[in-house]
Amino acid sequence: MPPMLSFPKNVVVVQPGQGRLELSPVLTAMGIRPDVGMGAIRFSLGRYTAIEEIDPVVDRLADVLACRVALER
């Protein structure tokens, strides 16, 4: 098993896909259309993920999306 990385509690780690230019097999199996699925963001949660760890991620994502919308206007 690969070593686990440790990050401070207030850090959100984002990484790009694995160089794929096609829809992931999981989204394909779910019946997601490629034009929708290619804009998907996957969040990985574990058994011990607490709601207190999720809320800040949702807040930051909302801020990023709001900035994106403002820039497109």
Side-chain angles (χ1 to χ4, degrees):
M1 179 163 40
M4 296 296 292
L5 297 176
S6 178
F7 297 99
K9 288 281 188 191
N10 63 344
V11 171
V12 176
V13 177
V14 178
Q15 65 185 53
Q18 300 172 351
R20 292 179 179 259
L21 297 177
E22 72 273 354
L23 192 60
S24 80
V26 172
L27 294 177
T28 299
M30 292 171 60
I32 304 297
R33 295 187 337 253
D35 62 317
V36 173
M38 292 304 287
I41 300 173
R42 182 177 76 185
F43 293 91
S44 297
L45 307 175
R47 177 186 307 179
Y48 302 108
T49 303
I51 193 74
E52 295 82 12
E53 296 170 305
I54 298 170
D55 284 342
V57 174
V58 172
D59 291 341
R60 287 186 185 188
L61 182 59
D63 290 344
V64 168
L65 294 175
C67 286
R68 174 69 185 215
V69 169
L71 289 174
E72 290 179 352
R73 290 184 183 172

